[in-house]
Amino acid sequence: MASPLTITTLPPSELVALLVATSFAAGLNVYATVATLGLLAHAGLLPLPPALHLLASWYVIAASAAMFAIEFFADKIPAFDLLWNALHTFIRIPIAALLAYGATATLSPWEQLAATVAGGAIALASHGGKTAVRAAVTPSPEPFSNITLSLGEDGLAIFLTWFATQHPYGAIAIVAVLLAVIIMLARWVVRSLRALFLGAEREVASSGG
């Protein structure tokens, strides 16, 4: 019987569903997504392609889990979460694109490029949607709404990554609905991303002063 880490025969439709779900999850919390992928591979629930076998390394899993623990608290601190999420615009999206690139290494170069661009774009939409929702609740003087949203985002990232390995078409349906909502609110999302960087810039300026 082949090891789950050497199976590379995921049906194309299931591979697409998995990539869409994990790209969206990475846009919410990339560390939780990477750690979950590695643990699922060890549990025999996910056949990683050769280019992504590194995710199943206990060193990668441990590092991702440690960063997830840091983000778990950092993302719930008012004001500091602005800096954290602004910085992670340049982490979540590239890693999602790299995951898509590695997962499609056996496809043609054009198909791999398309998958890479799509993975980054989906992560950008997810990250933007997360930012937009946060922007709506951040002005609230009480911290509980922000904390609840952060917990929900963490849980959704882990759930989507796992759910895609068990019910890939169900996972892609969930992501499709969420992406449709984000696209309909695209103008709000763009304004929120702009406000995120402006807010982060003000926080840096105030801390430097």
Side-chain angles (χ1 to χ4, degrees):
M1 180 176 178
S3 163
L5 296 183
T6 60
I7 298 174
T8 59
T9 56
L10 271 178
S13 58
E14 291 190 14
L15 177 60
V16 169
L18 181 63
L19 288 178
V20 170
T22 54
S23 295
F24 193 92
L28 296 175
N29 190 315
V30 68
Y31 305 119
T33 301
V34 171
T36 302
L37 287 171
L39 291 172
L40 288 171
H42 271 286
L45 298 175
L46 176 64
L48 288 174
L52 295 183
H53 282 185
L54 181 64
L55 298 183
S57 163
W58 283 115
Y59 294 106
V60 173
I61 293 172
S64 299
M67 288 304 300
F68 170 56
I70 294 172
E71 176 158 319
F72 183 85
F73 294 102
D75 197 43
K76 296 169 181 63
I77 302 173
F80 182 75
D81 67 329
L82 292 175
L83 297 173
W84 186 266
N85 282 297
L87 171 65
H88 278 75
T89 303
F90 306 102
I91 297 176
R92 294 169 183 153
I93 297 162
I95 291 181
L98 286 173
L99 290 175
Y101 181 84
T104 55
T106 58
L107 302 182
S108 70
W110 288 110
E111 290 173 323
Q112 189 178 25
L113 176 61
T116 303
V117 172
I122 292 170
L124 174 60
S126 172
H127 175 70
K130 167 180 178 169
T131 302
V133 174
R134 287 298 190 86
V137 301
T138 295
S140 175
E142 46 78 27
F144 301 108
S145 54
N146 201 55
I147 292 174
T148 300
L149 275 174
S150 181
L151 289 172
E153 293 155 4
D154 296 343
L156 182 59
I158 295 171
F159 169 76
L160 275 178
T161 306
W162 166 80
F163 194 62
T165 67
Q166 305 301 303
H167 308 283
Y169 304 118
I172 201 172
I174 293 172
V175 172
V177 171
L178 293 174
L179 285 174
V181 173
I182 292 171
I183 290 171
M184 286 189 294
L185 301 174
R187 185 176 299 178
W188 182 36
V189 170
V190 170
R191 285 202 305 265
S192 298
L193 282 172
R194 188 181 297 117
L196 171 68
F197 284 102
L198 289 175
E201 184 178 341
R202 284 194 295 268
E203 287 298 324
V204 171
S206 63
S207 62

